[in-house]
């Protein structure tokens, strides 16, 4: 009986949090993981599922194809940008790299670094995808 009450509370919390925080994949991942964990393993399962769901929820969503196409076809900058650090998905670009906005989709920007085109999140400069 206690297990059903906890599972019901977890489901309610998940539904409320997903509508309030629809843009936050970490929150949605944590809530979904907590619900699944509560159903399978009770309160301990809810805690473990919430942590696992938050980790999965932080995975970066790939950009739409029109953004990838724009970045692939955009003219390269006249000056070559080289940095010592390897460009890694999930890591921010150095401040020295110029990030250019995507005109049709301001949620993304791009840069050409070490002869690689990368799509980034403008606010954090975090690399979302490296175009090969």
């Amino acid at each position: 009986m206690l297990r059903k009450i906890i599972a019901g509370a977890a489901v309610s919390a998940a539904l409320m949090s997903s509508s309030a925080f629809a843009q936050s994949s970490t929150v949605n991942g944590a809530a979904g993981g907590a619900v699944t964990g509560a159903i399978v393993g009770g309160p301990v399962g809810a805690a473990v599922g919430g942590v696992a769901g938050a980790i999965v929820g932080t995975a970066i969503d790939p950009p739409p194809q029109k953004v990838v196409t724009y970045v692939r076809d955009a003219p390269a900058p006249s000056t070559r940008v080289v940095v010592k650090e390897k460009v890694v998905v999930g890591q921010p670009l150095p401040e020295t790299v110029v990030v250019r906005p995507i005109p049709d989709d301001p949620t993304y920007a791009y840069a050409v670094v070490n002869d690689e085109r990368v799509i980034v999140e403008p606010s954090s400069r975090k690399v979302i995808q490296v175009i090969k």
Side-chain angles (χ1 to χ4, degrees):
M1 180 66 172
L2 180 60
R3 184 182 233 174
K4 289 182 181 180
I5 292 171
I6 292 171
V11 168
S12 296
L15 291 175
M16 288 185 296
S17 68
S18 65
S19 64
F21 300 105
Q23 297 298 319
S24 175
S25 59
T26 302
V27 171
N28 290 338
V35 170
T36 304
I39 292 169
V40 174
V44 173
V48 172
V51 171
I55 292 169
V56 171
T58 58
I60 300 170
D61 293 331
Q65 187 58 43
K66 69 177 186 172
V67 171
V68 174
T69 302
Y70 179 85
V71 172
R72 185 176 291 130
D73 296 342
S78 57
T79 56
R80 189 168 179 247
V81 178
V82 179
V83 296
K84 291 180 184 178
E85 301 87 12
K86 183 176 177 173
V87 176
V88 178
V89 172
Q91 296 299 314
L93 290 176
E95 292 295 324
T96 57
V97 176
V98 175
V99 175
R100 293 173 169 77
I102 308 276
D104 292 340
D105 196 338
T107 56
Y108 299 99
Y110 77 101
V112 180
V113 184
N114 298 343
D115 295 325
E116 292 183 311
R117 293 173 183 263
V118 295
I119 300 172
V120 300
E121 180 182 72
S123 59
S124 66
R125 302 174 60 88
K126 188 187 316 180
V127 176
I128 297 172
Q129 184 175 351
V130 178
I131 307 296
K132 299 288 181 181

